[in-house]
């Protein structure tokens, strides 16, 4: 029978004689120890909140399905051994899936399918038990309506070590290969090309191969600094002999913004990140902001002299009934002669066109142009601005395979321009319509699952519908 | 391939994905965060004190002690079991009163005894006990013996009462969650070589621990009973 005496309050403390880690058949002992803030010889108070935090911190790595901490007797009275028992989980995951249809526009401005595209990314998040993430991603597209060779292919292999050599520094790297092409020209495109083509646009074929390596350091709990070096060779560039198109009522030659033959791209990028989000996929409060400056290293052999500055700030607020409002502001500027695939692309700004996957562009259409501005002339440019608001309504919460489903609705405006639009606006546009601005919107569902985060949205489908009555007739 | 066939093929793929999603959502029982143990109401005893000023409840919820919890109690680190109870009149929608019992159990590795600390609304201070057996622990922490739940004036006369209980095992405080979220590594855009790349967007957030309000949440309700 239990003794029922009232006893005075006293802390239960032991001398920590050692740490025993069990259950880790794959994960190295040092990886687990990295997250345990106790050492042999410490005085261990069983009420120390760091014990509970250690358990959740180990769970937060994603390497383990369960973690239990316990104490067992040490070699002498008052001494204990801290036992960390882990149950490992599968860490080989699919991290992203994407698929869709891209489109072209015919002579009357009607959308017609151009290519089917798909992308998949997978990762092993605990490579050989070291805690290192190794992932790869693949994106492909295949022509849908034309006999022209417009197939594309991109491959990435990436790794991420959150504690490089057991230090606070993180190390990230990537190898890339793109066998790609892109479409140029707006309306009335005239192309002089040695390659046989039936298309009403100019095509640039090219490959990209190379990689980058970066180091990151957490300057505080919420800020981190990254420095990355990138080296790529751009090869097999095949350009039309000459091409021209109609730009805002004027016929002018098409600038391809890529060097023929083989060229080198070498850059250094510094990024400062600030992140106080409460969740990486479905945040309900906090900030995420970043400032990134990338400089092409011409003295180190880069053939493209340019600098690029990207600023982004996102903020989330929790509203009544757990609804969430988010604001997203992006400002970017490029000075110099960046290759076209480094410039801002209209599909990355509007939800009504597919964005690029692994640097591949599948779509040839201009922006929908809801406001009747010069945005219909711009696909790639050096200056970009976007302000977007997103409203989320939680519709399901769980704890196993599906953690959360939110309905999302977003609305925003963006601007995409280059020196051409600023210094020599097209004569077809007057007044405010010279400003290449457009609206964007989206609705859909965002899922947080054990397989990762997924978004099902409908604006890309809506993008196949004509914007104005004239367009579809 | 014609445009129509491509669209049709894509529509079929989209349909398959939606079907997969709906199938996943069609099993909400497997995704429940809480255990609804109250499908079968349990017995409870409501008693007035001799002056009919204070109402007490006696109820057992020992079924919270599954094998995992019993093992956890022997690990040498504190385990907290909190009961929160809401008192209703039968068929009533608004709670009449509420109560709470907080129990912290620590297995003392060298003494080989359980230290049990109990706080209840009818006690001025935390009561501390030693127990050599798990049965003694459960007697104090997985049942209530005359737990104060209401006072005169809060409870209508001659109406059966129902207790709806919620048991939290090792509840997680908002402060702890905030610390965890700062610790968990965050996705970084800096490794993206392509400015438009949208793959890898969820790269590091995948296995963020899904932390609820407690390690385990257990709910029950009692049969309607008249206070004695």
């Amino acid at each position: 029978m239990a003794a029922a005496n009232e006893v005075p309050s006293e802390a239960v403390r032991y001398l920590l004689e050692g740490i025993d880690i069990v259950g880790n058949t794959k994960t190295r002992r040092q990886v687990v120890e990295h997250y345990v803030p106790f050492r042999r010889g410490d005085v261990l108070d069983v009420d120390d909140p760091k014990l509970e935090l250690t358990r959740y911190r180990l769970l937060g790595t994603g390497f383990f399905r369960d973690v239990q901490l316990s104490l067992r007797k040490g070699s002498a009275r008052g001494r204990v051994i801290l036992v960390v028992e882990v149950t490992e989980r599968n860490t080989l995951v699919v991290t992203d899936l994407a698929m869709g249809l891209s489109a072209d526009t015919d002579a009357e401005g009607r959308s017609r399918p151009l290519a089917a595209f798909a992308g998949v990314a997978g990762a092993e998040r605990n490579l050989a038990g070291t805690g290192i993430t190794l992932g790869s991603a693949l994106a492909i597209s295949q022509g849908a309506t034309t006999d022209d060779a417009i197939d594309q292919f991109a491959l990435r292999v990436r790794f991420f070590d959150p504690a490089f050599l057991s230090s606070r520094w993180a190390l990230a790297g990537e190898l890339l290969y793109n066998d790609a092409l892109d479409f140029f020209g707006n309306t009335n495109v005239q192309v002089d090309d040695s390659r046989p083509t039936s298309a009403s646009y100019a095509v640039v074929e090219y490959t990209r191969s190379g990689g980058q390596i970066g180091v990151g350091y957490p300057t505080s709990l919420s800020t981190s600094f990254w420095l990355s070096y990138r080296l790529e060779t751009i090869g097999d560039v095949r350009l039309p002999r000459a091409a021209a198109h109609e730009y805002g009522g004027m016929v002018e030659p098409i600038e391809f913004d890529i060097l023929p033959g083989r060229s080198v791209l070498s850059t250094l990028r510094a990024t400062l990140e600030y992140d106080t989000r409460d969740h990486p996929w479905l945040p309900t409060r906090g900030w995420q902001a970043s400032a990134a400056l990338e400089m092409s290293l011409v003295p180190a052999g880069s053939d493209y002299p340019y600098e690029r500055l990207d600023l982004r700030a996102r903020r989330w607020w929790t509203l009544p009934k757990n609804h969430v409002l988010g604001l997203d502001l992006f400002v970017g500027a490029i000075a110099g002669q960046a290759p076209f695939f480094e410039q801002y692309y209209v599909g990355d700004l509007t939800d009504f066109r597919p964005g690029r996957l692994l640097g591949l562009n599948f779509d040839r259409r201009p922006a929908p142009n809801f406001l009747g501005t010069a945005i219909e002339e711009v696909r790639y440019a050096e200056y970009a601005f976007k302000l977007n608001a997103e409203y989320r309504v939680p519709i399901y919460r769980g704890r196993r395979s599906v953690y959360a489903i939110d309905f999302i609705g977003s609305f925003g405006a963006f601007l995409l321009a280059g020196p051409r639009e600023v210094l020599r606006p097209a004569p077809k546009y007057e007044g405010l319509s010279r400003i290449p601005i457009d609206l964007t919107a989206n609705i859909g569902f965002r899922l947080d699952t054990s397989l990762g985060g997924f978004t099902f949205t409908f604006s890309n489908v809506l993008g196949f519908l004509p914007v104005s009555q004239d367009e579809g007739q | 391939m014609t445009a129509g066939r491509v669209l049709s093929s894509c529509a079929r793929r989209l349909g398959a994905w939606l079907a997969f999603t709906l199938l996943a959502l069609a099993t909400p029982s497997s995704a429940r965060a809480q255990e609804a143990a109250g499908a079968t109401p349990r017995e409870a005893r409501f008693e007035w004190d001799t002056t009919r000023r204070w109402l007490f409840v006696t109820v057992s919820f020992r079924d919270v002690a599954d094998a995992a919890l019993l093992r956890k109690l022997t690990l040498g680190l504190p385990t907290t079991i909190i009961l929160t109870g809401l008192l209703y009149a039968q068929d009533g929608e608004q709670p009449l009163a509420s109560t709470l019992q907080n129990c912290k159990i620590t297995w003392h590795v060298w003494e080989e005894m359980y230290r049990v600390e109990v706080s209840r609304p009818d006690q001025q201070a935390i009561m501390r006990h030693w127990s050599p057996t798990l049965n003694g622990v459960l007697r104090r922490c997985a049942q209530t013996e005359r737990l104060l739940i209401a006072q005169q004036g809060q409870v209508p006369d001659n109406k059966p009462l129902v207790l709806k209980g919620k048991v939290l095992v090792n509840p997680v405080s908002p402060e702890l969650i905030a610390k965890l979220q700062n610790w968990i590594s965050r996705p970084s855009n800096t490794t993206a070589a392509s400015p438009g790349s949208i793959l890898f967007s969820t790269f590091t957030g995948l296995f963020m621990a899904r932390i609820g309000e407690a390690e385990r949440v257990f709910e029950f309700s009692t049969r309607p009973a008249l206070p004695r």
Side-chain angles (χ1 to χ4, degrees):
Chain A
M1 183 175 168
N5 306 316
E6 186 175 345
V7 293
S9 172
E10 57 182 15
V12 180
R13 294 194 181 102
Y14 305 103
L15 183 66
L16 186 59
E17 192 172 276
I19 298 171
D20 197 3
I21 294 165
V22 296
N24 56 322
T25 57
K26 189 174 74 169
T27 309
R28 290 184 187 174
R29 177 185 174 87
Q30 296 92 315
V31 173
V32 179
E33 282 180 338
H34 180 73
Y35 296 95
V36 180
F38 304 104
R39 295 292 172 261
R40 179 190 171 104
D42 287 353
V43 173
L44 191 69
D45 185 334
V46 298
D47 289 316
D48 189 340
K50 281 194 287 189
L51 280 163
E52 189 182 12
L53 284 165
T54 299
R55 176 172 178 267
Y56 282 109
R57 203 178 175 192
L58 282 164
L59 283 169
T61 64
F63 304 157
F64 310 111
R65 193 172 66 244
D66 191 27
V67 176
Q68 291 293 344
L69 271 58
S70 62
L71 301 177
R72 73 162 191 261
K73 287 178 182 174
S75 61
R77 187 173 180 83
R79 296 184 174 199
V80 293
I81 293 171
L82 175 64
V83 181
V84 182
E85 184 179 358
V86 297
T87 307
E88 292 173 325
R89 64 177 297 168
N90 171 41
T91 50
L92 183 63
V93 292
V94 174
T95 54
D96 263 305
L97 276 173
M99 61 179 68
L101 275 183
S102 64
D104 182 18
T105 48
D106 62 17
E108 283 75 42
R110 288 183 295 236
S111 291
R112 60 182 184 188
L114 179 66
F117 62 88
V120 61
E124 166 56 57
R125 296 200 71 251
N126 189 11
L127 181 68
T130 59
I132 293 174
T133 296
L134 180 68
S136 66
L138 175 74
I140 57 171
S141 80
Q142 196 166 33
T145 60
T146 171
D147 294 331
D148 295 334
I150 59 169
D151 300 347
Q152 301 188 70
F153 170 78
L155 180 68
R156 299 286 186 278
V157 178
R158 289 169 172 165
F159 79 92
F160 174 70
D161 185 354
F164 182 55
L165 297 177
S166 299
S167 70
R168 291 190 71 197
W169 288 85
L171 182 71
E174 179 183 76
L175 294 173
L176 73 89
Y177 177 76
N178 277 23
D179 184 354
L181 53 83
D182 214 319
F183 314 99
F184 288 81
N186 295 337
T187 53
N188 296 327
V189 183
Q190 300 162 41
V191 184
D192 177 9
D193 201 330
S194 57
R195 296 163 291 177
T197 176
S198 60
S200 58
Y201 42 79
V203 175
V204 172
E205 296 174 52
Y206 64 103
T207 62
R208 292 170 59 194
S209 53
Q212 70 168 340
I213 190 159
V215 289
Y217 188 80
T219 51
S220 74
L221 278 177
S222 53
T223 58
S224 60
F225 178 75
W226 281 83
L227 196 63
S228 307
Y229 173 71
R230 175 158 61 123
L231 180 64
E232 287 184 30
T233 61
I234 298 139
D236 304 322
V237 178
R238 300 180 68 189
L239 304 168
R241 280 190 289 261
H245 67 156
E246 193 176 306
Y247 180 97
M250 293 172 59
V251 175
E252 59 179 39
I254 296 174
E255 300 284 346
F256 294 111
D257 290 334
I258 191 169
L259 295 173
R262 181 169 295 273
S263 54
V264 173
L265 177 62
S266 168
T267 69
L268 191 64
R269 182 183 177 96
T271 306
L272 187 64
E273 295 180 338
Y274 175 71
D275 195 342
T276 61
R277 288 174 299 170
D278 60 341
H279 191 279
W281 183 244
L282 294 171
T284 62
R285 63 178 185 277
W287 280 90
Q288 186 193 20
S290 65
L293 176 64
E294 186 171 44
M295 290 180 295
S296 180
L297 300 174
V298 176
S302 182
D303 293 314
Y304 299 89
Y306 74 94
E307 295 82 39
R308 170 177 166 150
L309 178 66
D310 290 349
L311 302 173
R312 187 172 193 183
R314 304 164 83 184
R315 174 93 195 267
W316 292 268
W317 294 269
T318 303
L319 304 177
K321 296 183 178 177
N322 292 323
H323 293 196
V324 176
L325 174 67
L327 279 183
D328 185 352
L329 173 67
F330 173 79
V331 180
I334 296 171
Q337 296 159 22
F340 71 85
F341 55 79
E342 286 298 297
Q343 297 174 15
Y344 305 107
Y345 170 61
V346 70
D348 297 336
L349 298 172
T350 175
D351 292 309
F352 293 104
R353 301 289 181 261
R356 290 178 287 187
L357 282 183
L358 301 180
L360 299 184
N361 175 30
F362 310 109
D363 206 90
R364 206 188 79 79
R365 290 168 295 171
N369 199 11
F370 293 102
L371 303 176
T373 71
I375 192 69
E376 63 186 355
E377 309 288 351
V378 189
R379 293 178 68 246
Y380 285 101
E382 289 86 348
Y383 313 127
F385 168 89
K386 184 175 180 181
L387 180 62
N388 203 60
E390 181 181 275
Y391 195 87
R392 288 205 330 259
V393 180
I395 55 177
Y396 175 80
R397 289 293 181 269
R399 292 194 71 185
R400 294 194 179 174
S401 50
V402 179
Y403 304 130
I405 302 174
D406 279 12
F407 169 80
I408 54 171
S410 69
F411 181 80
F414 68 92
L415 184 148
L416 181 65
R420 171 74 175 78
E421 286 72 35
V422 175
L423 302 175
R424 294 181 293 120
K428 176 180 167 184
Y429 306 98
E430 293 180 345
L432 291 177
S433 68
R434 289 179 171 179
I435 302 172
I437 192 170
D438 202 7
L439 304 176
T440 181
N442 211 341
I443 56 170
F445 298 94
R446 188 165 293 156
L447 286 75
D448 188 18
T449 76
S450 57
L451 286 176
F454 296 91
T455 303
F456 296 98
T457 56
F458 302 102
S459 62
N460 190 236
V461 178
L462 296 175
F464 280 90
L465 302 176
V467 173
S468 63
Q469 288 186 338
D470 295 338
E471 191 182 359
Q473 291 172 352
Chain B
M1 188 182 281
T2 65
R5 287 175 63 188
V6 170
L7 279 171
S8 169
S9 168
C10 287
R12 279 200 300 272
R13 287 178 194 170
L14 185 61
W17 270 100
L18 288 174
F20 167 78
T21 306
L22 290 172
L23 190 65
L25 300 181
T27 54
S29 59
S30 64
R32 291 256 165 80
Q34 301 186 348
E35 298 168 57
T40 307
R42 63 195 62 205
E43 298 294 340
R45 193 171 71 239
F46 298 101
E47 297 172 275
W48 289 106
D49 68 342
T50 51
T51 64
R52 289 189 68 83
R53 187 175 173 197
W54 305 106
L55 182 68
F56 298 92
V57 62
T58 299
V59 66
S60 171
F61 47 94
R62 283 195 176 211
D63 39 341
V64 72
D66 59 3
L69 178 59
L70 293 177
R71 178 173 180 266
K72 198 169 187 66
L73 291 173
T74 65
L75 295 183
L77 298 173
T79 298
T80 304
I81 300 174
I82 294 178
L83 165 72
T84 57
L86 293 174
L87 184 69
Y88 292 83
Q90 186 182 17
D91 303 326
E93 292 185 354
Q94 295 298 321
L96 306 171
S98 64
T99 189
L100 179 141
Q101 175 178 281
N102 189 330
C103 201
K104 182 175 157 191
I105 310 116
T106 309
W107 170 249
H108 200 294
V109 174
W110 280 100
E111 300 294 339
E112 296 189 341
M113 297 265 279
Y114 296 95
R115 192 176 73 163
V116 182
E117 299 170 88
V118 184
S119 62
R120 298 164 42 140
D122 51 347
Q123 294 168 348
Q124 294 293 320
I126 296 172
M127 298 298 290
R128 296 180 175 86
H129 315 265
W130 288 95
S131 171
T133 64
L134 273 172
N135 189 45
V137 171
L138 297 180
R139 195 166 58 80
R140 297 195 179 281
C141 298
Q143 65 186 62
T144 68
E145 191 67 38
R146 289 179 62 83
L147 176 67
L148 177 64
I149 190 166
Q151 58 182 315
Q152 194 179 36
Q154 288 182 300
V155 180
D157 292 332
N158 300 322
K159 266 213 157 183
L161 301 175
V162 171
L163 178 75
K164 291 187 178 176
K166 185 174 184 179
V167 184
L168 304 175
V169 178
N170 284 338
V172 182
S173 68
E175 293 78 18
L176 175 66
I177 290 175
K179 283 185 181 177
L180 289 167
Q181 283 159 345
N182 277 328
W183 259 343
I184 290 167
S185 60
R186 299 174 183 282
S188 168
N189 293 327
T190 49
T191 56
S194 308
S197 175
I198 59 170
L199 293 186
F200 280 91
S201 60
T202 62
F203 201 67
T204 59
L206 276 176
F207 288 115
M208 180 174 173
R210 270 64 191 181
I211 304 160
E213 58 182 326
E215 281 184 35
R216 189 167 172 218
V217 180
F218 179 87
E219 293 180 350
F220 66 87
S221 62
T222 65
R223 290 187 214 283
L226 280 168
R228 290 190 281 179

